[in-house]
Amino acid sequence: MSDIINHMQGILAWIVANVGSPLWDITIVVLLGVGLFFTISTGLVQIRLFPESLREMWFGRSVDSDALTPFQAFTTGLASRVGVGNIGGVAIAIATGGEGAVFWMWVTALVGMSSAFAESSLAQLYKVRNPDGSYRGGPAYYITKGLKAHWMAIAFAIALIFTFGFAFNAVQSNAIVEATRNAWHWNPQYVGISLVVLSGLIIFGGVKRIGQVSAGLVPLMALLYLVMAAVIMIMHIDRIPGLIAQIVESAFDFHAMAGGMFGAIFSKAMLWGIKRGLFSNEAGMGSAPNAAASASVKHPASQGLIQMLGVFVDTIVVCSCTAFIILLSNAYGSGLTNISLTQAALKYHVGEFGVHFLAFILLLFAFSSIIGNYAYAESNIRFIKNKRSVVIAFRLIVLFFVYFGAVNAANIVWNFADTVMAVMALINLIAIVLLAPVVWDLLKDYSGQLRAGIREPVFNIHEHPKLIKRGVDPKIWEDNPETNIVIQDIDNDATSLNEQRLMDAE
């Protein structure tokens, strides 16, 4: 096992050194550009329909008992979003890029909310039905059906499998090891083995089981962590306005340049803020759409709005809490980074209890993220080869990387994650821009029904024949009971009109 791990370390080091840095220069430009493109072209959808996103999340219901509810799909997506990125990722961004990195995390989230709306709406529209009646989908599916580019879909699926199935899960287990070692001096190898066993028990339970577990864990995790952060911020409420001003001012300090091909444009604050922001909220990356596609909803835009809300909660709320915890302490500037920095900050605020509290919370955050990450990757494995033996082999490789992350240095697993994440994001961002007209049609249909006084818009595929020509399977939406009601009403109206014409003719 040790020889395999050592060989893997060499491969990952080569990939990071030769691919990672130039790839991220390109990714930053594309990520912000696509976010601005959808923000403008959708008429500020993230602001205009934000109240609707709250309503859809809380009151949306499944129209199919075999599929995840909108809330379960939301929490499955949040299970992967809310995790190490909110705790360790924010700490890395601040330690490396300074306070200004927090501002660029906010920017990434705000413009990325529109990208999240686009990708998750597309995932719903182009989803497919599993033999058990549930749904699956995501970028690999809308690239194949909407763009007729199967090669591009395969490339995305492979990138996602490496990113979520392997790299991100290694990051999660690495963070658990660091937190538990700081708090309780647990042996990394034993922690790694335990995580492999527990993860194996969950991931062999199926996608619906994953949604149920996530729905139970995520609200509890978020509530406990946010309460702790709120208490700390109230304790230092007089310093918050000045701290926010300092974050904004530092964001535009270009004395510390990031280097690379665009080194004269990007500061370290921008580079690390955007990197860690994308890792945390995944807006535009193409991951959350895999969970969005598994829900059964009345309109594709409904899941777009729900996943858009997930980006807001993840970064603007949870990541900001971690940033304030760190910047309001004496731990910032101490030379610490990652989980250790956040734990030191909590120790400053609430004593030794903070170190143990964060270790416990991180166990929940990171473990639920492993579950969510696996769900995304499995969907794309099934896209490439939906065969039981292939899925089982994939699950075993996932468990290997869970252990790999537990026994390796943080910089190895984080750098590997950054590199494959950039590849995955670039493919998806290009795809959703090419499918932008479809997104606009969905948004126009949803908004039009809202303006007409319909509180729960329903998607009728037969009113959009050009979407059928663009690869949408009409049977998926004809099977929607709510859609059938609308279609039946249309048919009844048409029949009544024809009968009236016959009577008039007579």
Side-chain angles (χ1 to χ4, degrees):
M1 176 66 75
S2 61
D3 290 339
I4 295 175
I5 290 177
N6 290 335
H7 185 62
M8 186 68 67
Q9 289 175 343
I11 294 174
L12 297 184
W14 184 90
I15 293 174
V16 170
N18 292 275
V19 179
S21 179
L23 189 62
W24 260 102
D25 289 334
I26 299 171
T27 302
I28 289 177
V29 174
V30 176
L31 182 71
L32 294 180
V34 172
L36 289 171
F37 169 74
F38 278 109
T39 295
I40 296 170
S41 65
T42 60
L44 300 175
V45 64
Q46 61 266 62
I47 297 175
R48 188 164 51 86
L49 293 183
F50 187 78
E52 284 299 315
S53 69
L54 292 170
R55 185 190 63 78
E56 289 282 3
M57 190 272 289
W58 285 113
F59 300 110
R61 60 183 178 83
S62 173
V63 296
D64 190 331
S65 60
D66 292 325
L68 297 178
T69 66
F71 179 75
Q72 285 179 325
F74 172 76
T75 54
T76 301
L78 207 58
S80 183
R81 282 196 180 107
V82 179
V84 173
N86 303 90
I87 301 173
V90 174
I92 291 174
I94 293 174
T96 311
E99 308 100 309
V102 179
F103 174 84
W104 292 108
M105 292 184 76
W106 293 339
V107 170
T108 303
L110 290 174
V111 300
M113 287 172 71
S114 63
S115 302
F117 170 81
E119 63 184 358
S120 291
S121 297
L122 288 169
Q124 259 294 313
L125 182 67
Y126 286 100
K127 65 187 178 184
V128 300
R129 187 182 289 275
N130 291 316
D132 64 357
S134 62
Y135 298 107
R136 72 178 187 273
Y141 296 82
Y142 57 68
I143 290 172
T144 296
K145 293 173 173 290
L147 297 179
K148 311 298 183 185
H150 189 65
W151 64 270
M152 187 178 179
I154 293 293
F156 175 85
I158 293 172
L160 186 144
I161 290 164
F162 271 84
T163 301
F164 280 84
F166 308 151
F168 280 12
N169 279 340
V171 169
Q172 303 298 332
S173 61
N174 183 272
I176 291 175
V177 164
E178 182 174 348
T180 55
R181 182 172 53 208
N182 291 340
W184 307 312
H185 310 290
W186 285 1
N187 185 297
Q189 290 186 332
Y190 294 157
V191 173
I193 292 171
S194 300
L195 288 174
V196 167
V197 173
L198 292 174
S199 300
L201 291 174
I202 297 296
I203 67 176
F204 278 89
V207 174
K208 192 165 186 178
R209 175 62 176 166
I210 289 169
Q212 294 167 345
V213 171
S214 299
L217 286 178
V218 170
L220 174 63
M221 292 187 299
L223 179 61
L224 291 175
Y225 190 69
L226 291 175
V227 167
M228 173 67 77
V231 170
I232 291 172
M233 286 188 285
I234 291 172
M235 291 166 55
H236 302 278
I237 192 66
D238 57 316
R239 295 177 54 192
I240 298 294
L243 184 56
I244 294 175
Q246 185 179 347
I247 288 172
V248 175
E249 181 181 353
S250 300
F252 297 95
D253 180 5
F254 286 86
H255 289 93
M257 306 311 296
M261 69 175 71
F262 297 125
I265 301 175
F266 301 147
S267 66
K268 283 188 176 181
M270 181 183 291
L271 174 66
W272 287 99
I274 293 174
K275 265 190 178 184
R276 296 285 70 85
L278 178 62
F279 180 93
S280 180
N281 62 52
E282 302 167 24
M285 190 192 299
S287 50
N290 293 273
S294 63
S296 177
V297 294
K298 299 178 182 179
H299 199 288
S302 298
Q303 267 303 306
L305 293 173
I306 290 172
Q307 296 300 336
M308 183 182 80
L309 177 64
V311 175
F312 178 87
V313 172
D314 172 88
T315 304
I316 306 302
V317 178
V318 184
C319 284
S320 295
C321 287
T322 301
F324 287 131
I325 289 172
I326 293 171
L327 295 175
L328 289 169
S329 74
N330 65 354
Y332 175 54
S334 63
L336 294 174
T337 187
N338 206 351
I339 304 301
S340 297
L341 175 56
T342 312
Q343 284 181 305
L346 278 176
K347 184 177 181 180
Y348 168 84
H349 293 297
V350 298
E352 192 69 30
F353 166 76
V355 178
H356 301 285
F357 174 82
L358 189 62
F360 173 72
I361 289 294
L362 194 68
L363 275 170
L364 298 179
F365 271 130
F367 187 67
S368 69
S369 291
I370 290 174
I371 296 170
N373 292 346
Y374 169 77
Y376 292 158
E378 185 197 85
S379 176
N380 285 269
I381 280 288
R382 292 186 182 278
F383 172 80
I384 296 174
K385 190 71 174 179
N386 193 8
K387 189 175 180 181
R388 179 175 173 78
S389 60
V390 174
V391 173
I392 292 175
F394 162 70
R395 290 172 177 173
L396 295 175
I397 298 173
V398 168
L399 296 178
F400 166 79
F401 271 92
V402 169
Y403 182 79
F404 177 86
V407 298
N408 273 281
N411 67 310
I412 294 175
V413 293
W414 276 97
N415 288 336
F416 174 48
D418 282 342
T419 301
V420 293
M421 174 175 68
V423 175
M424 175 180 160
L426 283 173
I427 297 173
N428 182 62
L429 290 168
I430 293 170
I432 62 176
V433 167
L434 294 176
L435 288 169
V438 177
V439 176
W440 299 333
D441 284 344
L442 293 176
L443 180 59
K444 181 180 179 181
D445 182 77
Y446 186 92
S447 299
Q449 292 188 50
L450 287 179
R451 287 193 297 271
I454 301 174
R455 295 304 302 155
E456 296 186 65
V458 176
F459 181 67
N460 180 5
I461 185 62
H462 295 289
E463 292 181 355
H464 304 277
K466 63 180 180 180
L467 291 182
I468 298 177
K469 293 180 181 179
R470 294 210 60 162
V472 177
D473 182 1
K475 293 182 180 179
I476 291 293
W477 294 99
E478 288 172 351
D479 290 341
N480 184 336
E482 298 290 341
T483 302
N484 284 337
I485 293 174
V486 174
I487 294 173
Q488 185 64 48
D489 288 343
I490 293 172
D491 290 342
N492 289 340
D493 290 344
T495 301
S496 298
L497 180 61
N498 288 333
E499 289 176 351
Q500 183 64 45
R501 285 173 176 172
L502 288 173
M503 292 175 62
D504 291 343
E506 293 173 355

